[in-house]
Amino acid sequence: MKCFFLLSCFWIYLGTSVDAQKIPLHFGYITTLTGSSFIGDGGIPVVDLALRLINERDDVLQNYTLNYTDVLDSECNRTVSLDRFFELINSDITYVSLLGCGCSTATIPVAEISHYWNIPQLAAIAGAFVLNDRTRFRNFFRTLVSFRYVGDSLGQLMREFGWKKLSIITQDESLFRAVANDLNDIFNNEKWELDRYNVISEQSVHPFFGRSELQSFRIFYINTYQDIAYHILCEAYHRGMTGPDYLWIIPMWYNDNWWMSSSPSASTNSSCTDAIMMEVITGTIGWVPDGYLTLRNESQITFSGLTSSTYNDMYASLLNKSQYKNITELGLSGVVFDGMWAIAIGLDIASKKISSGNDSGCENVPGDLVPLEQFNYTNTKLGCIFKQSFSEVDFLGITGQIRFNENGSRNDNVILYEQYRVSNGTLAKFIFGSITVRPQRNVFQFAIGESNNTLWSSGIPPYDGYPVTGIDQNSIVLVIIYDVVAVFGLVFATGCFIFNIIFRKKKIVKLTSPNLNLIIILGSVLLYVCVFFYSYSSANKTVEAIFCNVRVWLFSLGYCLCFGVILSKTWRVYYIFNHSKPKKKGVKDWVLLLLVLFIVAIDIVIIVAGSIIPQSRLISFEEEDGEHSQIINDEDKIQNNLILVCNTRVGSLIWLGLSFGYKGILQVLAIFMAFHTRRVKVRILNESKEIAAIIYINSIILVLLTVTEFALATHHNTYSALFGLGLIIEASLFLGLIFIPKMIRLYLDPKGEKIFTRTNASSNSNQLVQNDNKDSSEEIITNLRQRIKELEQKTFIELKSEDEN
């Protein structure tokens, strides 16, 4: 028994002496303990846990114990952080490494100068991409994955769910500016719509919501620390900008329970309860780099000897201990734990290099190759070895493989996406997918069991507010009304055709050239048919292009056939009554028919030439709807209305201008001849008055159609209504003024006996010429009347001769 006691004492003494022989090493520890932006004190328990495990190991820093003296508060402030760093450097203790300095804002200024003291600096909760710049941050390493590809991943997320419009509110810190700039470049390249708003720390977020341009946005990305995010989401609730109609995207690396009223984030806001914030947060999505979270394989043993499951249990247990009672749980605790191990392993590699005399790569650097405990801040050789040793760190940590690239950072091209959901009455985060950023093509992949149905309540991604494109068509009311009127017009044309055929032998009809009247009927039918193609508009480009070309052919041919007959008849009257020596025989119908065919042939040449030349060929294009450019459609989406038009190209406009110009020339000729025969009112030429009316009214209609064609093409309903109205009036005018008077006269004079009554002719002749100058001599009046009687007698004889033959 006595021997056993002595043996036990010996082993206790031996163990104590061994621990006493280990040389203490110290590292500086600066983190964010106070402030509202980001709190890092939740990393203290895992640092203590890691140090306990490290110091118990014989294969890591075998001859040393690693500890820190105190935890200094950077307050997430660059000036305070620098003060704390100098406080460490100027203390009596020499530090072989630095863990710090909390958030990116506090880390950046220290990382720029820490290499001057030849100590390696490792950050665990600083993710700013700018820290990857090795020329500025020479001895800097971090276990927290950078935000380098966050912007690219968000761009891919937009593509995946078909979003093209985003409003981003960015805190004026380098950590967030880089992400915003990346997104800005992506949106510019994709021609998407990005609303950017910058907010300064501790600044009110109310101006963000007060902007009028925000009203059309439905998806928002909060690119800030959690305190500002809390205020934004709380204000969004009071403004009704939550729920299924709005989507908020946030960083998922915020502290756990950051949204609760007890968290520092809500310290200055009491307008939202936990229940309100839980309602607001539910359904929001966000990103977190893959290296932020503990291993999903909870049974895999890491270098520390712990599994991720064991680690999480131990961390939760530590938070319940009295010394950590006021600690804020840190969602990034795993990277702090791995960061502590990275420091220990890096120093262990350096210690082994020193003990073996291996200064490869640093042999030309001034300084002494001395043990770690003899390090001082001016020893650049040891500083070089420290940097090399940390670069060689490679182990499996709680958050994954820990190895540093040439920039001192971990690989960061895999971004996880999570969603807040209520599970068993509590709010929890669920990974729904991941995005791998690659040089050629980014890839989004749903997590197992996840899909649009699990992610969105409706199974459809929420609407982003980006206007959808719709091809607007003519009003169905307009189509029905004009098509019905056109059908009645075709019925009327059919009636005129039947009348012309049945009564073509009657004197009243025969004297007005029934064959030419058939051409008017054909032209009017084409104009009525053309109304169908103008009233209806297609949403298919090919169909609309066909419609455009059909419209041109029908309108041009119909117009020229009708007006060609009117022009030829006007020319016959003009020829008879203005020719100094008229021939014995009048102008035959076949001459007028040739004239009509010549007029139509010129128009066909113009149409064919315009259709063949590629520059003028009518092809449908999308143009903004000039009547209702933007509407809210049946799906409650903003819709930019486009219409298909064919007459917007310069070549097409020139061609159409030539076509309308030709018709205008014909109109001017007709007006000229009608004006010079305006006093001719011979009963046997019973169409002269109606033809003149057709010419004058048609002039107005042609001007209306020209203005409509060239000025109202993008106002599709107005364009179709006015052009269709013009076509209906023209066709009805040609038919009505040609055939209705004949029908009335035939009813009153079935045999046409009054046509050749001389008294009527003489009576009318007295009304043909009225001298506007009442003071003219009686001799002039007598001579004019005598000339008219002679011409009238010749015409009477010729027409009667034709009728008898």
Side-chain angles (χ1 to χ4, degrees), residues 17-31:
S17 64
V18 169
D19 288 339
Q21 291 176 0
K22 282 193 173 185
I23 303 169
L25 295 176
H26 296 91
F27 67 93
Y29 188 6
I30 305 175
T31 190

Side-chain angles (χ1 to χ4, degrees), residues 175-298:
L175 173 66
F176 305 106
R177 285 195 299 267
V179 176
N181 291 336
D182 289 344
L183 275 175
N184 188 72
D185 292 340
I186 292 171
F187 272 67
N188 286 337
N189 292 334
E190 297 286 352
K191 309 301 182 185
W192 295 342
E193 187 174 348
L194 180 67
D195 170 60
R196 295 186 63 175
Y197 183 85
N198 294 327
V199 61
I200 301 174
S201 301
E202 300 181 1
Q203 184 185 51
S204 172
V205 298
H206 289 151
F208 169 74
F209 290 94
R211 299 173 303 131
S212 59
E213 58 266 31
L214 202 66
Q215 297 177 0
S216 63
F217 287 84
R218 305 289 183 88
I219 298 179
F220 303 88
Y221 171 47
I222 300 176
N223 190 31
T224 70
Y225 282 121
Q226 59 196 29
D227 59 326
I228 294 180
Y230 183 96
H231 291 274
I232 291 173
L233 292 174
C234 181
E235 183 65 21
Y237 172 81
H238 291 295
R239 293 179 180 263
M241 298 175 63
T242 59
D245 293 334
Y246 295 88
L247 176 68
W248 293 88
I249 304 173
I250 62 176
M252 286 294 185
W253 45 263
Y254 291 164
N255 290 333
D256 292 341
N257 300 326
W258 64 274
W259 51 272
M260 300 184 71
S261 57
S262 58
S263 71
S265 304
S267 58
T268 60
N269 192 323
S270 60
S271 62
C272 287
T273 64
D274 289 351
I276 288 176
M277 289 302 295
M278 185 174 179
E279 177 185 342
V280 173
I281 296 296
T282 301
T284 61
I285 65 174
W287 58 268
V288 58
D290 190 22
Y292 277 49
L293 306 180
T294 56
L295 292 173
R296 278 169 276 180
N297 185 350
E298 296 183 346

Side-chain angles (χ1 to χ4, degrees), residues 572-587 787 790-795 798:
R572 178 165 62 183
V573 175
Y574 175 81
Y575 176 81
I576 293 175
F577 285 91
N578 288 275
H579 201 281
S580 58
K581 293 181 180 181
K583 297 179 180 180
K584 293 182 179 180
K585 291 187 178 181
V587 180
R787 177 59 179 161
E790 292 175 359
L791 293 174
E792 185 181 85
Q793 183 63 29
K794 291 179 180 293
T795 303
E798 291 171 357

Side-chain angles (χ1 to χ4, degrees), residues 380-421:
T380 54
K381 181 180 285 290
L382 220 55
C384 177
I385 291 176
F386 282 160
K387 183 176 181 180
Q388 277 190 348
S389 300
F390 273 65
S391 300
E392 296 172 12
V393 168
D394 189 357
F395 68 96
L396 179 62
I398 288 295
T399 60
Q401 197 67 29
I402 306 297
R403 66 168 65 95
F404 303 117
N405 57 28
E406 65 278 5
N407 299 317
S409 295
R410 296 169 63 185
N411 291 332
D412 47 11
N413 67 323
V414 178
I415 309 296
L416 303 179
Y417 278 85
E418 299 179 317
Q419 183 181 47
Y420 276 107
R421 301 173 187 172

Side-chain angles (χ1 to χ4, degrees), residues 387-570:
K387 183 176 181 180
Q388 277 190 348
S389 300
F390 273 65
S391 300
E392 296 172 12
V393 168
D394 189 357
F395 68 96
L396 179 62
I398 288 295
T399 60
Q401 197 67 29
I402 306 297
R403 66 168 65 95
F404 303 117
N405 57 28
E406 65 278 5
N407 299 317
S409 295
R410 296 169 63 185
N411 291 332
D412 47 11
N413 67 323
V414 178
I415 309 296
L416 303 179
Y417 278 85
E418 299 179 317
Q419 183 181 47
Y420 276 107
R421 301 173 187 172
V422 176
S423 177
N424 298 323
T426 60
L427 196 62
K429 292 183 285 188
F430 292 81
I431 297 175
F432 67 82
S434 64
I435 292 177
T436 303
V437 179
R438 296 173 178 170
Q440 300 299 326
R441 180 174 176 268
N442 303 331
V443 178
F444 172 85
Q445 186 175 10
F446 272 115
I448 296 175
E450 294 287 337
S451 65
N452 279 320
N453 292 326
T454 60
L455 190 56
W456 318 114
S457 57
S458 63
I460 301 174
Y463 174 53
D464 62 348
Y466 191 84
V468 297
T469 299
I471 302 298
D472 201 6
Q473 297 176 264
N474 289 347
S475 169
I476 187 64
V477 176
L478 183 148
V479 174
I480 292 174
I481 292 176
Y482 274 77
D483 287 0
V484 169
V485 173
V487 168
F488 278 111
L490 291 173
V491 172
F492 177 50
T494 303
C496 293
F497 174 76
I498 295 172
F499 171 82
N500 194 73
I501 294 299
I502 293 176
F503 299 104
R504 64 182 301 148
K505 297 297 183 180
K506 295 289 185 178
K507 292 183 176 63
I508 290 177
V509 176
K510 186 174 182 179
L511 289 176
T512 56
S513 306
N515 292 329
L516 295 177
N517 292 341
L518 289 176
I519 296 177
I520 291 180
I521 294 173
L522 175 60
S524 298
V525 168
L526 294 180
L527 292 178
Y528 281 128
V529 172
C530 190
V531 173
F532 294 105
F533 290 92
Y534 271 98
S535 65
Y536 178 78
S537 60
S538 175
N540 183 282
K541 288 187 176 182
T542 302
V543 174
E544 186 64 19
I546 294 174
F547 273 35
C548 289
N549 285 278
V550 170
R551 289 168 188 166
V552 171
W553 278 94
L554 290 178
F555 168 63
S556 291
L557 292 179
Y559 180 89
C560 286
L561 285 172
C562 291
F563 196 74
V565 173
I566 299 301
L567 182 62
S568 63
K569 288 187 176 184
T570 304

